[in-house]
Amino acid sequence: MVTTKIAHEREETPGPAGLPTLQPEMPWHVETLQRLLAGSERLPHALLLLGTPGIGKSRFAQALGAALLCESPLPDRRACGRCDACGWVAADTHPDLRRLSLVIDEDGKQAREIKIEQVRALADFLVVGAHRGGRRVGLIDPADAMNMVTDNALLKSLEEPGDGLVFVLVTSRPDAIPPTIRSRCQVRVIEGPALEEASAWVQGQTGCSPAEAGTWLAIAGGAPLNAIGFAEPAQSAAHRTMLEAISRLPDTSPVAAADALQPWHGRQWLPLLQRWLMDLARCSAGAEPRYFPAQSARLVELAARIDPPALAEAGRGLAAQYRHVEHPLNPRLFCEESLEVYLGAFGPAGTR
Ligand SMILES: [Zn+2]
């Protein structure tokens, strides 16, 4: 028995059915959504929304789904938020909406994958016509949290789309979407906001100063939904600890760094390691660091010790590691391997 309860991205808060509440799109996505809805008669039966984490893709997908089901849409075709259909969507009880996301298992942990019974339930939903006579919407987020079995089950649904059916798949990791699924979807890249807009939003959400917003946005790679996390002391402290462990390398051992990173999931420390490497690349080319301006002195010092071709190789190596970030066979070993890949930028072991 699977209970449906989880918020896998920060932007979501649990709703009445245990799923994250459907929330409106982020302000920077209004225009993109309006453009997409303007041609909604010609919407393909499957859309794959790609974009970096923390920019509001999930909300975008939810707002799109709500708009397609709304029975009294606004002039720009976005959901009215007031009709019966919008009420059911908000309560996650709309009979023509199915949402597949990561659930909380009985042991209280977030499932790592979308489960086959979830996809099978979707297939059942598809064979029944629309209850309200309009469209039906299947939201799959994150779409990269599928495995071969669930992908195959979904593929059948994608191959035989029913009338008025729209699948909306969301991912930050397009590499993890199999070509068979991808080729059946129309791909849309969802962009994040410009820095000024992101900064204003972060300040509005947290009450922080423009300088703090700038620092958090830099660390979060410009992703505002991730940046607001740093307003929480616990996250901010975790970030400092992880960054300290990474920045001490190669003057400390990868084992010591892996010990320090142990409490956190790879999806937290690996992007940090990747950004740190990108900043090293920038510093070695004489540019200012983009993500860690406060660590500029250490970055410059380390940049003088790296070998540029080896750094490029380490960057590719970390990107390859990222493909396994959700499902490492052995998390501890995965961490040490990733740190070794990073250390490759400083030349072979023994010469660093
Ligand atoms: Zn409505």
Side-chain angles (χ1 to χ4, degrees):
M1 176 67 196
V2 174
T3 52
T4 50
K5 188 172 191 177
I6 188 46
H8 85 94
E9 277 196 88
R10 290 197 44 79
E11 60 207 76
E12 300 163 337
T13 47
L19 274 166
T21 308
L22 287 159
Q23 291 178 311
E25 69 287 348
M26 302 304 294
W28 48 86
H29 284 154
V30 170
E31 250 184 78
T32 312
L33 183 60
Q34 286 170 330
R35 270 202 308 275
L36 189 57
L37 289 169
S40 60
E41 301 84 8
R42 297 178 305 279
L43 267 189
H45 70 271
L47 271 172
L48 176 60
L49 307 180
L50 304 183
T52 52
I55 59 166
K57 293 183 306 300
S58 294
R59 284 183 174 220
F60 184 93
Q62 292 166 14
L64 174 62
L68 295 176
L69 295 170
C70 176
E71 293 172 5
S72 168
L74 302 174
D76 66 3
R77 299 192 178 182
R78 286 185 296 155
C80 73
R82 282 199 283 268
C83 69
D84 285 349
C86 281
W88 296 325
V89 165
D92 202 40
T93 54
H94 198 298
D96 296 322
L97 171 67
R98 281 293 182 284
R99 297 163 70 192
L100 268 59
S101 58
L102 298 174
V103 297
I104 296 285
D105 284 329
E106 279 169 343
D107 60 4
K109 288 191 182 151
Q110 182 179 330
R112 299 196 309 182
E113 292 181 334
I114 287 173
K115 295 174 188 295
I116 185 66
E117 52 267 36
Q118 291 176 277
V119 182
R120 287 207 187 106
L122 185 70
D124 294 344
F125 155 74
L126 302 177
V127 295
V128 184
H131 289 78
R132 300 287 293 177
R135 292 190 189 257
R136 283 170 301 153
V137 176
L139 281 184
I140 307 179
D141 179 15
D144 47 80
M146 311 263 285
N147 59 33
M148 223 174 351
V149 178
T150 44
D151 277 330
N152 280 331
L154 174 66
L155 209 52
K156 284 197 194 112
S157 305
L158 290 179
E159 277 166 350
E160 299 156 23
D163 259 1
L165 176 67
V166 178
F167 275 108
V168 183
L169 287 72
V170 182
T171 188
S172 307
R173 302 192 305 137
D175 286 359
I177 307 286
T180 45
I181 299 277
R182 200 175 161 143
S183 65
R184 284 169 176 81
C185 298
Q186 199 179 95
V187 176
R188 295 286 174 116
V189 176
I190 304 296
E191 307 278 358
L195 191 58
E196 266 174 36
E197 190 173 12
S199 171
W201 186 81
V202 169
Q203 290 171 55
Q205 293 290 309
T206 64
C208 72
S209 69
E212 280 172 317
T215 304
W216 295 339
L217 277 165
I219 296 168
L225 291 151
N226 292 344
I228 57 171
F230 294 106
E232 292 164 17
Q235 190 171 338
S236 170
H239 176 264
R240 261 200 311 279
T241 308
M242 289 189 280
L243 186 58
E244 211 171 277
I246 289 169
S247 66
R248 281 188 187 149
L249 293 166
D251 302 326
T252 50
S253 75
V255 174
D259 284 342
L261 297 175
Q262 187 83 351
W264 295 286
H265 192 278
R267 77 172 83 87
Q268 290 169 288
W269 54 257
L270 187 52
L272 202 62
L273 188 60
Q274 287 178 295
R275 290 186 189 128
W276 181 259
L277 190 75
M278 284 186 240
D279 265 1
L280 271 180
R282 289 179 62 87
C283 290
S284 93
E288 295 285 315
R290 175 178 170 205
Y291 300 108
F292 307 102
Q295 276 73 31
S296 168
R298 176 64 174 163
L299 283 163
V300 168
E301 181 199 331
L302 289 176
R305 293 160 61 181
I306 54 159
D307 170 27
L311 182 138
E313 181 60 36
R316 283 190 291 274
L318 289 183
Q321 288 292 96
Y322 193 74
R323 286 200 277 278
H324 307 288
V325 74
E326 290 299 332
H327 311 291
L329 291 176
N330 176 335
R332 168 70 194 210
L333 207 59
F334 176 73
C335 182
E336 288 183 25
E337 276 168 11
S338 304
L339 293 171
E340 279 297 344
V341 169
Y342 163 71
L343 287 170
F346 296 89
T351 66
R352 293 165 190 157

